[in-house]
């Protein structure tokens, strides 16, 4: 992986003109993604760069990415590309930039009470590869070895197994692959009291949600808890984004840069988790009646039942803004959603009752929300496909991986789906048809109705 990072460093850290950034960032995001997912394997090349070299290069790349990210004239496309590179960079904490990092594996490979063949396997499949050309496949090999030595609890000594578990944890840490809770716990020490309160609330909500049993009785609780968790996530992510607003100074200590990398990955991890919460909320909402139930509640003037879905949509829109996607528009839509919730049916205009005014106002806001999410969803396909295909062909990436690259990248689809569900409900409340005008205009001519296209074609031939 060291050579791969050196290529990225040369591409990104040089004196690039502003117009060259986007292409370099996109190619880097694609390349590192395929490295991390094993599509591009890392082989030894005869050199002997220890993992500290990887960490040092990662730090250089991170500094350059953060510099570009915080510039006022950085485009939305550049921001999105940078956000895809960050999770692919290895950690550069002090323990990984030390002159001889990750030495525990050497001690374990010479452990006294394990069979000789196991020592050799650890040395040749993990230790040597890790110290010569560390890559994502080292973590895979370590996980496979850990599964082997823990299969029979009494086969190997408890001390040996414990040391190997520590090695596995260190490699996860080096690869920045800890779960969200682990990542957030790792930055707790850098929080002030207000930030710590937001972190504690989110972790408590997340833990309760993780432990919530799936049952009919728990469904209503899960909807409320999903919303509370999403709202606490939103508050926590706002705190972290606020802390990342200022650019890095030239004289900032290495330890501070390493902590900023943790903050950035936590911020990106919270974004990913927010859309997982939104997906679960959508599923739960459909189970309890979806658009039809919301329509019936609105017709009986019980619009308070809409507060949960609107609150969830507010969080989804806010997440897009925190990721750099048209933040002013996201803020405006968020304010409109809050106004709809607060005013409810209290507003009237002329002969229109409060329900009609509320529904019309909400429909306009939902239309605006869906336009925003569709623009976001369309931005990534415009940025990546051609370059994915070009790079994939050059590197011999399987065609299926090239074709499906963008599918996992679309996040705003869940927000758009929630908009669609709410629009369906609000249109039904207004008594309008559930159709969207795709191409407005007029048509002239004769309309001929047939049961099948083929019947018209046969009639024309005869």
């Amino acid at each position: 992986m060291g050579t791969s990072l050196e290529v990225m460093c040369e591409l990104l850290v040089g004196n690039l003109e502003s117009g060259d950034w986007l292409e370099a960032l996109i190619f880097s995001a694609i390349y590192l993604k395929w490295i991390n997912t094993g599509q591009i394997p890392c082989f030894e090349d005869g050199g002997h760069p220890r993992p500290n070299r990887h960490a040092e290069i990662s730090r250089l790349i991170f500094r350059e990415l953060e510099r570009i990210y915080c510039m006022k004239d950085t485009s939305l496309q550049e921001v999105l590309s940078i956000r895809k590179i960050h999770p692919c960079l290895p950690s550069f904490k002090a323990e990984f930039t030390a002159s001889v990092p990750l030495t525990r594996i050497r001690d374990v490979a010479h452990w006294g009470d394990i069979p000789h063949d196991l020592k050799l396997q650890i040395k040749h499949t993990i230790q040597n590869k890790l110290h010569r050309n560390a890559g994502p496949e080292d973590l895979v090999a370590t996980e496979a070895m850990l599964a082997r030595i823990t299969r029979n609890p009494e086969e190997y000594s408890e001390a040996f197994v414990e040391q190997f578990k520590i090695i596995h944890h260190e490699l996860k840490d080096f690869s920045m692959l800890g779960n969200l809770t682990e990542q957030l716990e790792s930055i707790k020490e850098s929080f002030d009291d207000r930030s710590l309160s937001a972190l504690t609330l989110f972790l408590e909500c997340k833990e309760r949600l993780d432990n919530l049993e799936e049952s009919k009785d728990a469904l209503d609780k899960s909807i409320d808890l999903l919303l509370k968790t999403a709202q606490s996530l939103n508050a926590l992510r706002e705190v972290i984004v606020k802390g990342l607003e200022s650019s890095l100074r030239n004289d900032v200590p290495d330890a501070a840069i390493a902590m900023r990398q943790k903050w950035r990955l936590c911020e990106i991890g919270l974004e990913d988790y927010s859309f997982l919460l939104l997906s679960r909320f959508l599923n739960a909402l459909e189970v309890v009646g979806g658009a039809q139930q919301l329509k019936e509640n609105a017709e009986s003037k019980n619009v308070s039942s809409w507060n949960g879905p609107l609150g969830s949509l507010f969080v989804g829109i806010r997440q897009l803004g925190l990721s750099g996607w048209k933040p002013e528009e996201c803020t405006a839509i968020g304010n409109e959603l809050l106004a709809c919730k607060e005013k409810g049916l209290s507003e009237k205009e002329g002969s229109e009752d409060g329900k009609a005014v509320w529904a019309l106002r909400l429909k306009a806001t939902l239309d605006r929300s869906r336009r925003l999410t569709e623009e976001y969803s369309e931005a990534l396909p415009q940025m990546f496909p051609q370059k994915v295909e070009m790079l994939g062909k050059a590197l011999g990436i399987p065609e299926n991986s090239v074709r499906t690259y963008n599918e996992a990248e679309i996040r705003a689809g869940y927000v758009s789906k929630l908009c669609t569900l709410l629009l369906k409900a609000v249109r039904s409340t207004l008594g309008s048809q559930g159709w969207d005008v795709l191409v407005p205009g007029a048509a002239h001519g004769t309309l001929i109705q047939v049961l099948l296209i083929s019947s018209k074609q046969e009639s024309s031939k005869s």
Side-chain angles (χ1 to χ4, degrees), residues 140-155:
V140 175
T142 305
E143 288 174 344
M145 182 63 70
L146 182 61
R148 172 185 167 181
I149 66 176
T150 56
R151 189 176 298 120
N152 300 316
E154 298 181 359
E155 186 173 359

Side-chain angles (χ1 to χ4, degrees), residues 107-122:
D107 300 332
V108 167
H110 295 84
W111 202 267
D113 61 357
I114 62 174
H116 182 67
D117 65 324
L118 182 60
K119 291 180 181 180
L120 291 177
Q121 190 172 359
I122 293 174

Side-chain angles (χ1 to χ4, degrees), residues 140-267:
V140 175
T142 305
E143 288 174 344
M145 182 63 70
L146 182 61
R148 172 185 167 181
I149 66 176
T150 56
R151 189 176 298 120
N152 300 316
E154 298 181 359
E155 186 173 359
Y156 302 104
S157 69
E158 186 176 330
F160 167 72
V161 173
E162 182 60 31
Q163 287 299 304
F164 206 90
K165 286 181 177 178
I166 294 174
I167 290 169
H168 177 250
H169 177 77
E170 287 176 342
L171 277 177
K172 278 181 64 180
D173 197 16
F174 178 62
S175 303
M176 305 299 280
L177 292 176
N179 62 42
L180 180 58
T181 299
E182 291 170 341
Q183 290 178 337
L184 289 170
E185 290 284 357
S186 73
I187 65 172
K188 182 184 289 188
E189 63 186 58
S190 63
F191 277 18
D192 58 22
D193 291 341
R194 176 177 172 273
S195 303
L196 193 59
S197 175
L199 173 60
T200 302
L201 177 59
F202 169 70
L203 290 177
E204 288 175 353
C205 289
K206 184 177 182 296
E207 184 178 11
R208 287 171 56 200
L209 188 61
D210 292 341
N211 296 330
L212 190 66
E213 296 181 2
E214 294 185 5
S215 66
K216 292 183 179 179
D217 296 335
L219 186 59
D220 290 338
K221 289 182 180 179
S222 72
I223 292 177
D224 290 340
L225 187 53
L226 281 166
L227 181 59
K228 288 178 181 177
T229 306
Q231 290 170 334
S232 65
L233 179 151
N234 189 66
L236 175 59
R237 191 171 174 218
E238 286 182 344
V239 167
I240 295 177
V241 169
K242 184 71 175 175
L244 292 168
E245 280 183 347
S246 58
S247 59
L248 286 169
R249 301 191 318 271
N250 291 331
D251 60 346
V252 65
D254 290 343
I257 304 175
M259 181 58 73
R260 186 181 178 102
Q261 185 191 31
K262 289 184 177 182
W263 274 55
R264 179 62 72 190
L265 287 180
C266 285
E267 183 261 311

